[in-house]
Amino acid sequence: MTIIVPVSESPGRSRPRTSPRAVGRDLPLDEILVGDCIAQMAKLPAKSVDMIFADPPYNLQLGGDLMRPEGSKVDACDDDWDKFDSLAAYDDFTREWLAEARRILKDNGTIWVIGSYHNIYRCGALLQDADFWILNDIVWRKANPMPNFRGTRFTNAHETLLWCAKDEKARYTFNYQAMKALNDDLQMRSDWVLPICSGSERCKDDKGDKAHPTQKPEALLYRILLACTKPGDVVLDPFFGTGTTGAVARRLGRRWIGIEREPAYIKVAARRIAEALPLDESSMTTMIDKRSAPRVAFGLLVESGLVPPGTVLTDAKRRWSASVRADGSIEAEGTAGSIHKVGAALQGAPSCNGWTFWHVEIGGRLQPVDTLRQQHLASL
Amino acid sequence: MTIIVPVSESPGRSRPRTSPRAVGRDLPLDEILVGDCIAQMAKLPAKSVDMIFADPPYNLQLGGDLMRPEGSKVDACDDDWDKFDSLAAYDDFTREWLAEARRILKDNGTIWVIGSYHNIYRCGALLQDADFWILNDIVWRKANPMPNFRGTRFTNAHETLLWCAKDEKARYTFNYQAMKALNDDLQMRSDWVLPICSGSERCKDDKGDKAHPTQKPEALLYRILLACTKPGDVVLDPFFGTGTTGAVARRLGRRWIGIEREPAYIKVAARRIAEALPLDESSMTTMIDKRSAPRVAFGLLVESGLVPPGTVLTDAKRRWSASVRADGSIEAEGTAGSIHKVGAALQGAPSCNGWTFWHVEIGGRLQPVDTLRQQHLASL
DNA sequence: GCTTGATATGAATCTCCAC
DNA sequence: AGTGGAGATTCATATCAAG
């Protein structure tokens, strides 16, 4: 039996940002589906979600109790849901939920799977076997990992995430400029330094103990959702736990679906998500990728008077100059054509982005013509 | 036919540190075995080596040419030895050499395998299938990786190493104190920051081009051999290439066996190892990376909740104000970008240190955002 | 000798849309 | 489905020449 736990009190009013992509789908949005993850996934329609974030059991295969040097016992993850009879049993389980995930995912959607060395090599190989196309593996470098108390190995200080598309040709979402902004104007790398989930962020049960042994930090989901979804996109988390995915999705204006078996986790997750307030529209805005911005032809700037015919363009170092013609083409040293073609020809390069190559003098300073394009876009 | 290339000129005198573990074995020590790695491994005796370091083909599956933004072509690893017909073919190859490796390895020996996301999940799963016991996965975080030139994914900035014993009960070598000493008296973690192999360390061919497309840095092998072998131990490298393993083994007083198919690589390796003199302590420590102060991006403060999206920043004199967006960019007077770029734009300056320019009100007082960065650093 | 700037390069699964 | 054009895209080092 499926039990659905609605989390938002007024779903109708909480959906102002729903994109057309999610409209009209027979999807239980912003709700926790109670039950076995494979059984619940089987009920969801094909090609219906934009992203899947999966934090499956790690199959830790722990031995006896581990003691700290001062004598206390380490509170290990020894729950039944993390136990499998064999690697083969773990593989079977993984194959099954990955098959459902692949069915549910839109063709241009992506899947994230997180794990440790105990299980991530099984997951990675089975993802590839299921024809998923790995886009990156990401290392979550823990700023404050648990030390190796026995001094027998290297401190296990990271976990691994796999980011995959459904196939090589998929046109997946990657908000390159938002990630670059998040990383001080440098490309975001495949290694992420983030603290583990602790302090007030860590969900507690009624007794004040940690509610879930492997709660993920919100900063991790924040980066993933910001990088690989658009506002209004639907994110499915088949191993919902205490609902980090739901809380961050709500905060960032994304829709979510959680699947979870354990009532104790569901109770914590529902309360937590209800308390996670969505950001307002302006705070949620991120840097727009030029690829996804509406196209503006250079000629349009000429037509609209922002760049009058006859304007002289130069490159940043004033090595070359060109003059703008009435139809938006430019002319330099006997060559005429688009800002891109002429830029490429002058440099002897195979290609050239004329928007950043050509400059105009505004207020005594050289500005790339791209600035004018941005102004034009902002005025729309 | 096996051709053996002896590298040390006087093997008898070059074995002062030979441990009893290597004595009496019928092993071709400190030599390069010429030929196919599986065929050559098949000739080595069972349970005879203390460690195997393997840098197998990654099966990169590259498409057409990749151009840099300025127009030059990326010199890709497109050698025939990296090409496989299918994942299944790669798996078959991997299973075969892993079976030989397991046979040759002593019961308390360990194996290291390095790879990227293209192949490491195959290798990891097959290692587990062959009953190897993963001790750690290690992330080599490259200090200077190649960027993602098209802005399509996260910069692929790391490679992964797997360290495995033959089974769960094996009494493997791990020089805990040596690793701790190497890491400023802190436990050595599973993520290692090391530069890629370049400069004078990079082997060149007769034409002055790089002799091998994927030469590994000596610092990487240095750490591995120092951590997991004892002086006199025998290290087998079945994918020897230009012999980094041999050169570092010689420097550290370990014995080595290399297997390599390509004559051009063997020639370079033999000369290189002959020139590799055992290092004195001081020069060894300079090979190890210095712990650089962790760089903190403004976006990290946003992700971690220290500066929530929507926060208003002002300069010290409250002349300008800006609001923080979800991706760590800020927006003021129609301009959006990093704290540095927007600060510069508002002042009409060529550059600006956003960390000291922008302030937030904390407890009724304006504090530079740099203060929050310091707080974050202190909390790590 | 030192600083500054130009150039080169590294295991890379590296575009998208209209015609 | 293939083709062609628009236009988007790079970080850390090392080396070497110029000042």
Side-chain angles (χ1 to χ4, degrees):
Chain A
M1 190 179 70
T2 311
I3 304 169
I4 292 179
V5 180
V7 167
S8 307
E9 283 158 13
S10 47
R13 271 168 288 161
S14 75
R15 294 183 189 186
R17 295 194 194 86
T18 303
S19 77
R21 303 164 78 170
V23 166
R25 296 282 181 185
D26 185 23
L27 279 178
L29 292 178
D30 305 333
E31 284 164 358
I32 306 171
L33 310 182
V34 183
D36 172 71
C37 86
I38 294 167
Q40 293 304 316
M41 288 171 91
K43 296 177 188 169
L44 294 174
K47 303 187 182 183
S48 59
V49 307
D50 300 287
M51 177 192 276
I52 295 177
F53 176 84
D55 182 10
Y58 285 13
N59 188 26
L60 287 179
Q61 304 165 282
L62 300 175
D65 289 343
L66 177 61
M67 297 300 185
R68 291 195 173 83
E70 92 283 3
S72 67
K73 183 172 153 246
V74 173
D75 184 18
C77 175
D78 53 2
D79 303 72
D80 284 340
W81 52 254
D82 197 49
K83 289 188 169 49
F84 292 81
D85 289 338
S86 62
L87 275 186
Y90 188 82
D91 288 353
D92 289 342
F93 167 72
T94 304
R95 248 187 300 266
E96 269 193 83
W97 75 257
L98 280 181
E100 284 300 330
R102 190 172 177 85
R103 186 184 61 79
I104 296 168
L105 198 58
K106 291 182 186 173
D107 284 341
N108 289 324
T110 57
I111 182 171
W112 284 80
V113 180
I114 182 169
S116 66
Y117 68 83
H118 306 87
N119 71 322
I120 200 66
Y121 299 96
R122 316 308 301 179
C123 292
L126 291 170
L127 277 161
Q128 291 180 308
D129 289 346
D131 291 327
F132 282 102
W133 186 250
I134 301 179
L135 296 167
N136 277 116
D137 58 348
I138 297 291
V139 173
W140 167 28
R141 184 200 191 255
K142 300 182 187 181
N144 43 354
M146 191 185 296
N148 181 297
F149 294 114
R150 292 256 171 83
T152 53
R153 305 179 185 188
F154 299 97
T155 304
N156 191 7
H158 74 276
E159 292 187 23
T160 302
L161 299 103
L162 287 161
W163 178 40
C164 310
K166 282 180 84 169
D167 60 71
E168 186 176 351
K169 300 292 177 197
R171 299 206 313 282
Y172 53 88
T173 297
F174 179 56
N175 300 316
Y176 176 75
Q177 293 295 346
M179 283 300 101
K180 195 169 170 177
L182 202 58
N183 193 37
D184 264 13
D185 286 334
L186 291 176
Q187 283 192 343
M188 187 68 81
R189 300 167 38 119
S190 58
D191 55 321
W192 301 354
V193 180
L194 295 171
I196 59 173
C197 180
S198 62
S200 61
E201 190 190 320
R202 188 83 195 220
C203 295
K204 305 291 194 299
D205 62 19
D206 299 335
K207 289 185 287 185
D209 297 327
K210 59 186 176 190
H212 191 284
T214 66
Q215 186 181 338
K216 297 294 175 287
E218 294 198 5
L220 187 68
L221 272 296
Y222 186 98
R223 190 174 294 185
I224 289 169
L225 294 187
L226 207 58
C228 307
T229 63
K230 301 184 195 307
D233 275 3
V234 178
V235 183
L236 167 68
D237 184 337
F239 306 96
F240 204 56
T242 50
T244 306
T245 304
V248 177
R250 182 162 191 223
R251 201 144 60 88
L252 288 176
R254 272 70 169 167
R255 317 302 303 267
W256 56 272
I257 304 169
I259 300 176
E260 178 53 51
R261 198 167 53 180
E262 305 286 336
Y265 299 158
I266 293 168
K267 186 179 160 191
V268 173
R271 187 178 55 210
R272 173 188 187 189
I273 297 167
E275 286 168 3
L277 294 181
L279 291 174
D280 63 75
E281 200 75 48
S282 64
S283 314
M284 217 177 65
T285 307
T286 58
M287 300 301 288
I288 296 168
D289 270 79
K290 292 189 176 158
R291 270 186 280 269
S292 53
R295 284 202 174 194
V296 175
F298 184 68
L300 190 57
L301 304 187
V302 180
E303 278 177 346
S304 63
L306 263 165
V307 183
T311 303
V312 174
L313 307 181
T314 70
D315 65 297
K317 292 176 186 169
R318 299 182 194 268
R319 247 182 100 184
W320 294 286
S321 66
S323 71
V324 175
R325 308 197 296 188
D327 62 356
S329 63
I330 64 173
E331 189 275 328
E333 299 181 9
T335 326
S338 72
I339 53 173
H340 316 292
K341 284 278 185 250
V342 174
L346 291 178
Q347 296 178 94
S351 66
C352 164
N353 183 346
W355 289 111
T356 49
F357 178 74
W358 292 110
H359 293 61
V360 280
E361 200 163 298
I362 300 171
R365 280 173 52 201
L366 277 187
Q367 300 265 9
V369 289
D370 191 47
T371 310
L372 300 172
R373 176 169 61 159
Q374 301 305 332
Q375 281 176 20
H376 177 79
L377 279 169
S379 72
L380 294 182
Chain B
M1 189 178 71
T2 311
I3 305 169
I4 292 179
V5 180
V7 167
S8 306
E9 285 159 11
S10 48
R13 271 168 287 160
S14 75
R15 295 183 188 185
R17 294 197 195 82
T18 303
S19 77
R21 303 163 80 173
V23 166
R25 296 282 182 183
D26 184 21
L27 279 178
L29 291 178
D30 306 334
E31 284 164 0
I32 306 172
L33 311 183
V34 183
D36 171 73
C37 84
I38 294 168
Q40 293 304 316
M41 287 171 91
K43 296 177 187 168
L44 294 174
K47 302 186 181 184
S48 59
V49 307
D50 299 287
M51 176 190 278
I52 296 175
F53 175 85
D55 182 9
Y58 286 10
N59 188 24
L60 287 184
Q61 309 168 71
L62 301 178
D65 287 345
L66 177 64
M67 299 296 183
R68 300 168 195 268
E70 98 281 2
S72 68
K73 192 175 141 227
V74 172
D75 183 18
C77 175
D78 53 0
D79 303 73
D80 284 340
W81 52 252
D82 197 49
K83 291 186 167 57
F84 291 81
D85 289 337
S86 62
L87 276 186
Y90 187 82
D91 288 352
D92 289 342
F93 167 72
T94 304
R95 248 187 300 266
E96 270 192 83
W97 74 257
L98 280 181
E100 285 301 330
R102 190 172 176 87
R103 185 184 60 78
I104 296 168
L105 197 59
K106 290 184 186 174
D107 284 341
N108 290 323
T110 57
I111 181 170
W112 284 79
V113 181
I114 183 168
S116 66
Y117 69 83
H118 308 84
N119 71 321
I120 200 66
Y121 299 97
R122 315 309 301 179
C123 291
L126 292 170
L127 277 160
Q128 291 179 309
D129 289 346
D131 291 327
F132 283 102
W133 185 253
I134 301 180
L135 296 166
N136 276 116
D137 57 349
I138 298 291
V139 175
W140 167 26
R141 304 169 64 206
K142 299 183 185 182
N144 45 350
M146 192 187 295
N148 181 296
F149 294 116
R150 303 305 292 267
T152 55
R153 305 181 180 185
F154 299 98
T155 306
N156 191 7
H158 73 277
E159 293 187 23
T160 302
L161 300 104
L162 287 161
W163 177 41
C164 308
K166 283 181 84 167
D167 60 69
E168 187 177 350
K169 300 292 177 198
R171 301 210 317 284
Y172 54 87
T173 296
F174 179 58
N175 301 316
Y176 177 76
Q177 292 299 342
M179 284 299 101
K180 194 169 171 179
L182 208 56
N183 194 36
D184 276 358
D185 272 340
L186 293 174
Q187 284 191 346
M188 186 68 83
R189 302 168 40 115
S190 57
D191 59 310
W192 303 352
V193 180
L194 296 170
I196 60 174
C197 180
S198 67
S200 60
E201 189 189 321
R202 190 84 194 216
C203 295
K204 306 293 194 297
D205 62 19
D206 299 334
K207 290 185 288 183
D209 297 326
K210 60 184 176 191
H212 191 284
T214 71
Q215 186 182 337
K216 297 295 176 285
E218 295 198 4
L220 186 68
L221 271 296
Y222 180 90
R223 191 174 294 186
I224 289 170
L225 294 188
L226 202 60
C228 307
T229 62
K230 301 186 194 310
D233 275 3
V234 177
V235 183
L236 167 68
D237 185 336
F239 306 95
F240 204 55
T242 50
T244 306
T245 302
V248 176
R250 186 163 187 218
R251 287 196 177 154
L252 287 175
R254 272 70 169 169
R255 315 303 301 269
W256 57 272
I257 305 168
I259 301 176
E260 178 53 52
R261 198 168 55 178
E262 305 286 337
Y265 300 158
I266 292 167
K267 185 180 161 192
V268 172
R271 186 178 57 209
R272 174 187 185 188
I273 296 167
E275 288 169 2
L277 297 178
L279 282 181
D280 59 87
E281 198 70 32
S282 62
S283 43
M284 287 198 291
T285 50
T286 60
M287 288 177 57
I288 304 308
D289 65 307
K290 296 281 172 278
R291 282 170 69 83
S292 54
R295 212 175 52 81
V296 174
F298 184 68
L300 186 58
L301 306 186
V302 178
E303 279 180 337
S304 59
L306 225 54
V307 182
T311 301
V312 174
L313 307 181
T314 69
D315 64 297
K317 294 177 185 166
R318 298 184 195 268
R319 247 184 98 186
W320 295 285
S321 69
S323 73
V324 175
R325 309 197 299 182
D327 62 356
S329 62
I330 64 175
E331 189 275 327
E333 300 181 9
T335 323
S338 69
I339 52 173
H340 316 292
K341 289 226 173 102
V342 173
L346 291 177
Q347 297 177 94
S351 67
C352 162
N353 180 350
W355 288 111
T356 50
F357 179 74
W358 292 109
H359 293 60
V360 279
E361 201 163 296
I362 300 171
R365 278 178 52 207
L366 277 187
Q367 302 262 9
V369 288
D370 193 48
T371 310
L372 298 172
R373 175 168 64 159
Q374 301 305 332
Q375 278 177 22
H376 179 81
L377 275 169
S379 75
L380 293 183

